[in-house]
Amino acid sequence: MPAHIAGILHATPPPVWLPYPDDVNALMPSLWSRSVDKTADGELTVAGHRVTELAETYGSPLYVLDVADLKHRAADFVTAFSEAFTAIGTEAKAYYAGKSFLCTAVAEWVAGEGMGIDTCSLGELMVAHRAGVDPRTVGLHGNNKSDEEIAFALDWGIGRIVIDSFDEIPRVAAAARARGVRAPVMLRVTVGVEAHTHDFIATAHEDQKFGLSLHSGDAFDAAGRIAASEDLDFLGLHSHIGSQIFESSGFDIAATRIIELRARILTELGIDLPEVDLGGGFGIRYTSQDTPLTFTEMAGRLASVVASACEATGATLPAVSFEPGRAISGPSIFTLYTVGSTKVVETGSGERLYVAVDGGMSDNVRTALYDADYSCTLANRDSASEPAVVRVVGKHCESGDIIVRDEYLPNDVTRGDLIAVPDTGAYCRSLSSNYNHVPRPGVLAVDGEQLGWVVRPESHADILAWDTGFSPSAADADVQAPESTDELAPHERRSTTR
């Protein structure tokens, strides 16, 4: 019999790892933010606020951000890594990876806990700028940086630009020369480490778009070119091996190889680079099967590896920086949905209960894109019904529109119930779309008794506002510039699209 055309998306029995729940209504605290709990009648709360009230007032789908949790995670990371690296005689820095989820409020909050901001586009730079972040604590990544991005970075005076290709070296140097400054740069090195993660989020193996290869010699060649430029201030080396990583072994190898390259640069080029960056990618717990290391455990292991590598090469200890994103934002947000319909589907080896909600791959594409796993809970009530294996799906016109592939919920879940999915803070709002012309949900921040939007929800009017129709007479007209140019400072340029 031929394989089913839908492959892994075809309905299958529940995976063997999915444990049968003792209490299908109970929360697993390690999957949720600090302020989340359930009442005696089974309703989910965040900082004491009932989700039924949140849904009634603010609508659904709804991203719910636990502000206290976000701040705690940022502070805990900074403390753990600072203590571990101080113990070996050097400094650790932390840059929040804005690509995981960025808005001005989040930028302000993580900066307030001692983090810099890692950006990878002009838009992310503008958000950090609007938030009032100290530019010296901001970095710019990207494998195809535009002239506008480089100009903004230099005019604002950010702390580092991460060089990703040979082409960027003369371009950044020329932009710096035109401004009479030296551009602070790091070099992104592809260290040849296969992170144990999905192919699309593994970023240090050879066959991918980021960085310059250590194995081929390109990284050392690029280091020489940077060192020879009077317009570039060579700060150090950068490595990032991927995302959602649970083991330290990949980091261990990457750190060792980066330290060895740094030692070679000192020996052959006479430059003692002051810093190395080991990237981010620290995993979080999406389901009961995920076993991430704590910040303290990871920091201790990495500090030990850096110290050993420096001792082996006879090099001085550099400052070491890291770029956590998912580990800060991921568990701090959950998504609240309303059930629209349910149906029992025959799988060929049993039955599965499909639960359709009012969102989907437009607000969480990770399940479809990365084959990611999520958990969920019935959020508005307790149930005495038996657990059933469910698949939580969205409303989009795609068979792959799956949010939670396999989880137990009470078998009486029905239209009007609320479903909450934890750990949706990273790469859900950031990767969201208007597929099928569905408006994107807003992000509601909950800070103790205070509630408020940090990203407002979209409306159908917002979507239609971009649809200008066809107007040949205006075909050569410049696209409308923003009403305010505050975000375009300091270099006061506008990028015009025709």
Side-chain angles (χ1 to χ4, degrees), residues 379-404:
N380 59 304
R381 63 181 175 88
D382 208 351
S383 172
S385 295
E386 290 295 315
V389 176
V390 305
R391 178 159 289 175
V392 180
V393 297
K395 62 180 293 170
H396 296 284
C397 194
E398 293 286 342
S399 60
D401 179 25
I402 299 170
I403 301 170
V404 181

Side-chain angles (χ1 to χ4, degrees), residues 290-307:
D290 294 329
T291 56
L293 296 173
T294 67
F295 291 159
T296 300
E297 290 170 334
M298 185 66 82
R301 294 187 187 189
L302 291 177
S304 176
V305 169
V306 169

Side-chain angles (χ1 to χ4, degrees), residues 64-65 146 224 226 236-237 282 436-437 465:
V64 182
L65 168 60
S146 68
I226 294 171
L237 303 173
F282 307 103
N436 292 150
H437 282 62

